[in-house]
């Protein structure tokens, strides 16, 4: 087997605003495996400032992987612990190489076009008018669950926006999730959560920065809004440490991003050790349609009925053409649409 890699820069159609800054483009690296019969491709997607992968070393690590690709897979994966995006890219490429059909990693009713996956509509941060426009667009597209990035503007401004949405659509019509990306300080987080609870918010992702285990545990215990851990999970590798974190914090939800956590294997470990009262959903990490397709196929196999965060394939102006499409607030795999992967 031979291995190579290529880098590609994806451009946002509209800059994506978060509490960590505005995203205008992002890089992905693609692992390409070849044997005498087939080619398998896997995507290594990172988000700078969030992924634990050392960006300055990622290409040297990929070069190492290509040189050692025929060594035992267990050895390769052990050496990629600090590079979860490459771990996932290799995992994806190997599964792709074994697949019977192009880019079908998990054959199911979803990949056969017989079933779909409910997703939330994502609203990026920005000026209030811009955010309102996005909300209106998502509602008109049939979304019953939207997720808003918050924490970049002053809280009163964002609260006014959320209240205007809730005044127009009650909780039986529209589920509102918010994602703070760790924007709030622990000292005033509970006050913010109490105010947000008046708007029947479904959940809030990562209200404070990761690494404050005791503080996050207190928030999960006392918050009137269910809390979902996101960044908190990144970099937690061993099963023992995963169990320890969940037992200490006892969150209502966890968010799984395979590119940031170390692929399907690590994500499935999180699912396995989840306490009964902790639920989960899966979110993409700004992968191209190739990575998004792999994650979506895996998600369907989990039989999780919650709306997933898998609608990011339409963000890039230079994305790959793929069978993925969104219709009626659900992700579909239209097997009649062809792939066009030019890396």
């Amino acid at each position: 087997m031979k291995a190579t890699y290529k880098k590609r820069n994806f451009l946002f159609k509209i800059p994506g605003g978060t509490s960590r800054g505005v995203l205008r483009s992002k890089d992905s690296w693609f692992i390409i495996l070849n044997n005498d019969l087939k080619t398998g491709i896997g995507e290594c997607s990172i988000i700078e400032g969030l992924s634990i992968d050392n960006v300055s070393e990622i290409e040297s690590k990929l070069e190492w992987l290509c040189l050692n690709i025929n060594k035992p897979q267990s050895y390769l994966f052990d050496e990629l612990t600090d590079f979860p995006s490459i771990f996932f890219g290799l995992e994806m490429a190997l599964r792709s190489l074994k697949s019977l059909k192009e880019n079908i990693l998990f054959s199911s009713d979803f990949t056969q076009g017989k079933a779909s996956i409910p997703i939330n509509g994502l609203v990026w941060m920005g000026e209030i008018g811009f955010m309102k426009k996005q909300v209106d667009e998502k509602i008109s597209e049939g979304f019953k669950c939207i997720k808003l990035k918050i924490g970049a503007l002053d809280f009163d401004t964002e609260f006014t926006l959320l209240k205007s949405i809730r005044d127009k659509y009650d909780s039986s019509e529209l589920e509102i999730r918010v994602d703070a990306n760790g924007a709030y300080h622990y000292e005033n987080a509970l006050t913010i959560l109490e105010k947000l609870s008046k708007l029947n918010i479904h959940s809030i992702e990562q209200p404070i920065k990761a690494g404050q285990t005791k503080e996050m545990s207190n928030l999960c215990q006392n918050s009137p809004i269910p809390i979902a851990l996101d960044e908190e999970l990144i970099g937690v590798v061993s099963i023992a440490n995963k169990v320890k974190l969940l037992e200490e914090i006892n969150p209502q939800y966890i968010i799984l991003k395979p590119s940031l956590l170390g692929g399907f294997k690590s994500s499935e470990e999180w699912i396995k050790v989840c306490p009964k009262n902790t639920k989960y959903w899966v979110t993409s990490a700004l992968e191209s349609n190739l990575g998004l397709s792999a994650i979506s196929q895996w998600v369907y196999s989990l039989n999780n009925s919650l709306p997933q965060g898998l609608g990011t394939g339409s963000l890039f102006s230079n994305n790959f053409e793929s069978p993925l499409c969104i219709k009626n607030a659900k992700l579909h795999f239209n097997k009649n649409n062809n792939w066009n992967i030019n890396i």
Side-chain angles (χ1 to χ4, degrees):
M1 183 164 60
K2 294 181 180 180
T4 57
Y5 74 89
K6 290 185 179 180
K7 178 182 179 181
R8 177 158 172 167
N9 182 254
F10 292 96
L11 306 175
F12 283 81
K13 294 177 182 176
I14 300 173
T18 76
S19 61
R20 292 187 300 271
V22 178
L23 302 172
R24 302 182 186 278
S25 67
K26 73 164 294 293
D27 294 324
S28 278
W29 288 261
F30 294 86
I31 298 170
I32 305 163
L33 303 180
N34 288 284
N35 58 23
D36 293 335
L37 301 174
K38 292 184 64 180
T39 297
I41 305 177
E43 180 172 359
C44 312
S45 175
I46 65 164
I47 302 176
E48 288 197 53
L50 185 57
S51 303
I52 66 166
D53 304 65
N54 188 326
V55 181
S56 66
E57 296 179 4
I58 195 166
E59 295 206 1
S60 62
K61 198 66 177 180
L62 283 166
E63 289 171 3
W64 172 88
L65 176 62
C66 292
L67 290 172
N68 291 277
I69 193 62
N70 288 303
K71 291 187 176 180
Q73 290 180 16
S74 58
Y75 166 74
L76 297 179
F77 283 120
D78 285 345
E79 291 294 313
L80 294 174
T81 300
D82 294 332
F83 291 86
S85 72
I86 302 180
F87 191 112
F88 179 44
L90 177 60
E91 187 182 39
M92 179 180 164
L94 289 169
R95 187 173 280 271
S96 174
L97 197 65
K98 296 176 182 177
S99 65
L100 297 177
K101 294 184 179 180
E102 182 186 24
N103 300 318
I104 303 297
L105 278 60
F106 299 84
S107 182
S108 67
D109 284 349
F110 174 69
T111 57
Q112 293 172 28
K114 299 176 182 178
S116 57
I117 301 172
I119 60 175
N120 63 244
L122 179 61
V123 177
W124 291 96
M125 290 176 177
E127 296 295 329
I128 289 298
F130 170 64
M131 294 180 75
K132 282 185 175 179
K133 181 182 177 183
Q134 292 180 81
V135 171
D136 290 339
E137 288 175 350
K138 297 303 177 186
I139 299 300
S140 67
E141 291 167 4
F143 284 93
K144 303 297 183 184
C145 173
I146 61 171
K147 170 181 164 180
L148 291 92
K149 296 278 189 177
I150 63 172
L153 307 177
D154 67 272
F155 176 74
D156 289 341
T157 300
E158 292 181 338
F159 182 85
T160 299
L161 170 64
L162 291 167
K163 186 176 185 304
S164 70
I165 299 170
R166 183 53 80 213
D167 287 345
K168 193 172 183 180
Y169 307 98
D170 66 34
S171 56
S172 66
E173 297 175 287
L174 181 67
E175 181 178 288
I176 299 176
R177 299 172 175 175
V178 295
D179 183 4
N181 288 125
Y184 303 125
H185 296 291
Y186 173 70
E187 290 73 21
N188 61 3
L190 193 57
T191 299
I192 289 173
L193 295 173
E194 288 171 348
K195 290 180 180 178
L196 288 173
S197 69
K198 299 175 183 177
L199 304 178
N200 292 315
I201 301 297
H202 171 269
S203 58
I204 181 169
E205 293 182 34
Q206 207 68 44
I208 61 175
K209 288 183 179 179
Q212 305 175 79
T213 305
K214 181 179 178 181
E215 291 84 352
M216 186 66 86
S217 176
N218 289 337
L219 286 181
C220 288
Q221 183 176 347
N222 296 296
S223 172
I225 297 175
I227 290 176
L229 303 186
D230 183 356
E231 289 91 337
E232 204 77 51
L233 310 184
I234 298 172
V236 182
V237 177
S238 72
I239 293 179
N241 285 338
K242 290 173 181 176
V243 171
K244 183 173 182 287
L245 181 74
L246 293 180
E247 287 181 345
E248 289 180 349
I249 297 180
N250 195 25
Q252 287 80 18
Y253 296 100
I254 60 172
I255 310 298
L256 302 176
K257 292 185 171 85
S259 289
L260 303 185
L261 299 181
F264 304 130
K265 177 180 180 294
S266 178
S267 299
E268 288 173 0
E269 286 175 355
W270 280 109
I271 294 171
K272 184 177 180 180
V273 301
C274 261
K276 289 184 178 180
N277 63 327
T278 300
K279 299 179 181 180
Y280 72 91
W281 66 83
V282 179
T283 301
S284 54
L286 303 179
E287 296 87 1
S288 73
N289 276 333
L290 189 65
L292 179 63
S293 174
I295 293 171
S296 301
Q297 293 175 41
W298 170 69
V299 167
Y300 184 80
S301 74
L302 300 176
N303 196 28
N304 185 322
S305 62
L306 293 175
Q308 309 293 311
L310 302 174
T312 57
S314 59
L315 291 178
F316 305 124
S317 60
N318 58 339
N319 210 338
F320 305 128
E321 293 179 15
S322 80
L324 296 177
C325 61
I326 298 174
K327 184 178 180 181
N328 297 325
K330 293 182 178 180
L331 187 65
H332 298 257
F333 194 95
N334 186 343
K335 62 180 183 178
N336 295 320
N337 291 350
N338 295 322
W339 285 94
N340 182 12
I341 303 172
N342 57 348
I343 303 172

